[in-house]
Every structure is written in structure tokens, then in C-alpha cells.
Amino acid sequence: MNKKIVIVGAGAAGIGMGVTLVELGIRDFLILEQKEIGHSFKNWPQETRFITPSFSSNGFGMPDLNAISVDTSPAYTLGKERLSGKDYAEYLELVAKEYHLPIFTNSSVNHVKKVKEQYILETDLGEIIADYLIFAVGEYSFPKHSFAGSEHALHYSEIDTWKQVTGNEQVVIGGNESGIDAALNLAKLGKKVSVYTNTTGLTAKEADPSIRLAPITRQRFMEFKETNQGEIKVYQKVCIANIQPNSEGYEIQTTDGRSIFSKNRPLLCTGFMNGAAILAPHLFDTTSGKFVLNAIDESTISNNAFLIGPSVRNQGVIFCYIYKFRQRFAIIAEAIAQRENVPINQTRLAYYKQQAFYLDDCANCTVDCQC
Ligand SMILES: Cc1cc2nc3c(=O)[nH]c(=O)nc-3n(C[C@H](O)[C@H](O)[C@H](O)COP(=O)(O)OP(=O)(O)OC[C@H]3O[C@@H](n4cnc5c(N)ncnc54)[C@H](O)[C@@H]3O)c2cc1C
């Protein structure tokens, strides 16, 4: 099968990109999803809620923060402000249906190679040849195991419900969004929680919520402290080097030679990797640990291969939230249309710009709040 454009992944980014292509008048594409639409969201712990609130502010130049298409709003569709993963997956399914997106589910892309100017994809559907490849494989399916023995810990992404974690005491490794969320959920169940972390967004001074802990997580933490009903201790500047199981439990070694004992299996909240670096490492320059992209989020070493979603970094801006990375879809669509010499719906493009769904100049994006 030959397709002009293939999007890999039907999560927030893949669906948002698909809607943008349709709305701007580009139809020769398909989306391949290894499982189901919104698979990552369906796998969140049951108790997890969005940290960015949803509100139907569309129409005032401020679309719902969690909308992945300009005229939709999960707040309106679901009547909720704080969405669960299952809620959001439902929203994505509805958007995909509304825009008749050409999606093949249960269709994993297993290998990608570039031959001349085309991409040959080995997929569960057979070989697919594409001129443009847009990676939207996300991070949640690719948990980060960054030190020796970390496989002995339970990763946040393996949690279905916090009720499945047994024992009265729990060690959490990592103290940012997922680590503090885990600690709060576990403490609420009556456990004594110790968080060991190199850095924590709890004390970060930066205003950008991509670095600082989100207001809702901070608020939950403060409210928990005020009620004094459980125990969360946060140990900062601790870097874990190794986890070794023994007959008593787990010995956790730090890089400065200390040893921490945990009777129960430690919980790993050290984040995720982007799957594009695993699926197609040869197509991107990631030697710095980040994807090197040009001004339109295209690989600097493979023409017509793009990255979308939370791992995009451009002009010093971290695009890790939906309200940030959705502003890059139209830029890619516009670039592809120009290369293919096909007309783009200019009225719609102007509307995207008006509704803050198009960000090409990040000069004013530094989140530097004075108060
Ligand atoms: C606990 C938690 C809370 C969060 N809260 C917020 C929040 O409040 N607000 C916010 O803006 N962001 C939040 N995020 C981040 C947000 O979830 C991600 O930014 C978003 O999911 C990224 O979208 P994506 O489409 O890039 O990735 P995903 O949603 O992960 O989608 C990627 C898709 O690609 C598929 N895939 C992977 N590999 C292949 C393959 N080889 N072939 C085919 N398909 C493949 C996967 O199955 C998946 O469906 C949160 C994340 C977590 C973990």
C-alpha cells in the first residue's frame, strides 16, 4: 500500500494532527495505531485525573486547554473539568468519528526504513510506503528505566489502581508530577510514603508548568499536609543508582553510597521516553538526549519525517502539554502542502491562528510570571 502521509499513533497528537490535515484540505493520509484510539489514556491508573482543567472557553480565542481540535471541547462533550484517562480516550474516539479519520487500530508499526526519498514501514497490515512520516507514538508506552535494577521496581505506567499496591509503607522514586500523584494516592490509602528524588517540581521556582509542579498537584499536596491524616516524606537531592532485591525486601543504593531499605516493591516514577527514539533511532538526531528538529519539527537528518507531541522542543520551548503541542500541527500540515504544491484552506488556517492553534514564533513563550 502507498500513502502520501502516515501518522504513527492515535493518541492526542495523532488524532489532533489527523483533524488538522482534514480541516486544511489534505486527505491522502492514514493513521496506524498499535492498539486502540487513546490507548495510553485507557491505561492510566483509574484514580489519575488531568492536571490541566477543561473548560468550554472556545469561541473567545481560548479553546479548552485539553482540546486537540480547534472546535471541540472535552469539558463540553463530557461535562467534566478534571478528566480521567478513560474520559479522554472517549473524547478522542468521538473526535476521530466526527472527522471520519482514516485510522487502522491494532496495527502496529514494527520497523521503519528510509529508501531514497520514501519510508518503508513494516506493519501488522503488511508493508506500507509513505512519502511523509509523522511520529505520534508518545511516551506512556515507553517507561524510563534509567538505572541498574530499576526493573525490580513497579513503574507508574503498570498501575491499574492504587489499591493494587500492598503493604503499609511505600518508597516512591521520583518527585515530579507522577511521583507526587502516586505519593498522594498511596498516602490517602493510609500508607507511609517516602519519596526519594533528585529534583522536585514542588520546590521549583520556574513559572513554566513543564518544570514547576502543576497548581492542582501542589494544591492537593498542601491540602494533604493540612489535614495531617497520613505521611509523605520527600527526600530531595537523592539520586538512585541501583535496586537489589533480597530476602527481606529491596535494597536501594544511591549514587553517593547510601543504602535505603524497602520492604515492599519500590514504585518508579522516573518518567518516560519517546517511542520514536526506539522505533526509528536512525531517523532522528537524539545524541543530546533530545530530538533535534528544524523550525517545522522535522528531523534534521531525515527529510519529511516529523515528530509531534510532548517531546517536541523548539526555540527553547517545551511543548509537553496538549495546549502547547497542538499549536504545531498546522505548521507541519502547511509545510507538507507547500512541498506537494497543493492548496491549503487559508480561511481555516487563519482561524487556527486566531484560536491559538498555530505557533511558529516562540519568542514570547517564556513563562515568566511576575506575580
Ligand atoms: C499521569 C499523566 C497525566 C498527564 N496529565 C496531563 C494533563 O493534565 N494535561 C496535558 O496536557 N497532558 C498531560 N499528560 C501528558 C499527555 O498525556 C501526553 O502529552 C499525551 O498523551 C501525548 O500524546 P501523544 O499522542 O503524543 O501520545 P499518546 O497519547 O501516548 O499516544 C501515542 C499512541 O501511539 C501508539 N503507538 C505507540 N507505538 C506504536 C507503534 N509502534 N505503532 C503504532 N502505534 C503506536 C500508542 O498505542 C498510543 O495510542 C499526562 C501524562 C501522564 C502520564
Side-chain angles (χ1 to χ4, degrees):
M1 190 195 318
N2 278 58
K3 270 284 153 192
K4 185 62 70 188
I5 306 167
V6 170
I7 300 172
V8 190
I15 299 291
M17 186 72 224
V19 173
T20 308
L21 290 174
V22 168
E23 288 220 297
L24 296 183
I26 302 170
R27 282 274 174 194
D28 190 3
F29 75 95
L30 58 81
I31 302 177
L32 298 175
E33 164 56 48
Q34 63 176 354
K35 302 275 187 208
E36 300 166 275
I37 294 172
H39 172 67
S40 299
F41 294 98
K42 284 182 180 158
N43 279 309
W44 279 13
Q46 287 168 28
E47 296 85 353
T48 299
R49 293 291 175 273
F50 263 60
I51 48 186
T52 43
S54 270
F55 202 85
S56 313
S57 42
N58 306 44
F60 288 80
M62 296 173 288
D64 186 318
L65 285 179
N66 300 314
I68 39 83
S69 65
V70 69
D71 286 330
T72 65
S73 159
Y76 172 70
T77 305
L78 303 166
K80 292 180 187 174
E81 182 188 275
R82 297 283 168 187
L83 309 168
S84 68
K86 290 207 170 34
D87 289 334
Y88 200 73
E90 187 188 341
Y91 159 74
L92 291 179
E93 276 164 359
L94 288 167
V95 173
K97 202 167 157 202
E98 176 70 22
Y99 288 87
H100 306 286
L101 296 185
I103 302 175
F104 290 88
T105 52
N106 297 311
S107 305
S108 179
V109 174
N110 304 315
H111 186 70
V112 181
K113 69 178 173 201
K114 191 171 185 204
V115 176
K116 294 187 179 155
E117 287 308 304
Q118 287 187 308
Y119 293 96
I120 302 182
L121 281 64
E122 275 173 30
T123 80
D124 291 351
L125 300 174
E127 191 176 273
I128 298 179
I129 301 173
D131 294 340
Y132 295 87
L133 201 48
I134 302 178
F135 286 89
V137 291
E139 301 177 343
Y140 201 72
S141 308
F142 310 94
K144 203 186 261 176
H145 285 274
S146 45
F147 57 85
S150 62
E151 70 276 11
H152 299 302
L154 189 63
H155 194 275
Y156 184 98
S157 58
E158 294 175 81
I159 302 290
D160 180 32
T161 165
W162 295 105
K163 293 182 196 126
Q164 80 189 61
V165 179
T166 53
N168 298 327
E169 293 181 10
Q170 185 62 50
V171 165
V172 173
I173 300 171
N176 282 314
E177 288 297 343
S178 62
I180 300 299
D181 178 56
L184 286 163
N185 279 299
L186 292 166
K188 221 164 109 184
L189 292 170
K191 298 177 198 300
K192 284 186 176 178
V193 183
S194 304
V195 178
Y196 294 94
T197 185
N198 197 1
T199 57
T200 172
L202 253 183
T203 49
K205 294 278 177 281
E206 288 85 349
D208 189 345
S210 301
I211 303 167
R212 188 183 169 88
L213 214 60
I216 186 66
T217 316
R218 185 176 289 273
Q219 180 185 334
R220 286 169 64 206
F221 190 76
M222 295 311 164
E223 283 171 0
F224 172 79
K225 287 271 170 199
E226 278 161 24
T227 59
N228 237 349
Q229 276 173 354
E231 187 176 305
I232 300 177
K233 285 191 177 153
V234 181
Y235 300 92
Q236 295 192 49
K237 296 187 182 160
V238 184
C239 195
I240 306 301
N242 201 345
I243 300 179
Q244 284 301 328
N246 58 34
S247 55
E248 310 288 309
Y250 297 84
E251 190 193 344
I252 303 165
Q253 290 153 1
T254 66
T255 49
D256 58 3
R258 280 178 288 160
S259 179
I260 299 158
F261 174 72
S262 173
K263 196 170 157 204
N264 302 307
R265 196 172 171 198
L267 194 70
L268 200 61
C269 297
T270 46
F272 305 88
M273 298 162 63
N274 192 294
I278 297 163
L279 181 61
H282 52 295
L283 295 185
F284 291 95
D285 175 359
T286 55
T287 40
S288 64
K290 304 260 182 289
F291 289 82
V292 183
L293 304 170
N294 67 14
I296 52 170
D297 300 342
E298 180 183 25
S299 165
T300 50
I301 59 171
S302 311
N303 291 347
N304 300 336
F306 296 87
L307 182 75
I308 56 174
S311 302
V312 171
R313 307 279 181 274
N314 221 318
Q315 302 169 54
V317 175
I318 307 171
F319 285 92
C320 74
Y321 281 98
I322 291 160
Y323 73 89
K324 295 181 172 188
F325 69 65
R326 68 187 184 189
Q327 301 192 46
R328 305 290 294 177
F329 303 149
I331 290 165
I332 296 175
E334 189 182 32
I336 294 176
Q338 272 166 8
R339 285 180 193 179
E340 290 299 306
N341 210 12
V342 295
I344 201 161
N345 186 332
Q346 292 297 340
T347 313
R348 215 53 202 153
L349 190 64
Y351 181 64
Y352 271 53
K353 290 181 181 175
Q354 183 201 330
Q355 291 294 96
F357 257 66
Y358 184 106
L359 180 67
D360 57 348
D361 178 5
C362 304
N364 295 322
C365 291
T366 42
V367 189
D368 189 13
C369 306
Q370 300 300 324
C371 51

